[in-house]
Amino acid sequence: MPAALRACRDCKFITTSRDRCENCGSTNLTQSFYGMIIILDEERSEIARDLGIRKKGAYAIRVA
Ligand SMILES: [Zn+2]
């Protein structure tokens, strides 16, 4: 069974961690999020630039 995914309410980073965002260190995580985008190259991605993402990884489109 796959680990539950959680999204960070502060930076939208998606993590399998239960209590801590691996991107910004926030403990403000939620399992209520919609959509997912994968940023592979944060330097070239226009989506990453639009969303203010500076690190590659998976991000929620909307966090509840
Ligand atoms: Zn975060």
Side-chain angles (χ1 to χ4, degrees):
M1 186 172 163
L5 294 174
R6 287 172 173 78
C8 173
R9 285 196 175 98
D10 292 334
C11 71
K12 295 187 169 64
F13 189 78
I14 293 176
T15 177
T16 54
S17 170
R18 285 177 169 273
D19 50 15
R20 196 163 224 277
C21 172
E22 289 150 1
N23 187 38
C24 73
S26 171
T27 54
N28 195 3
L29 305 181
T30 178
Q31 287 186 283
S32 299
F33 65 89
Y34 305 96
M36 184 189 291
I37 57 167
I38 310 288
I39 302 298
L40 298 175
D41 186 344
E42 70 281 11
E43 308 252 315
R44 295 189 192 184
S45 170
E46 288 185 23
I47 298 169
R49 197 168 53 214
D50 287 349
L51 296 177
I53 290 169
R54 294 189 184 81
K55 184 181 173 185
K56 60 178 65 95
Y59 292 83
I61 292 173
R62 186 180 299 176
V63 176

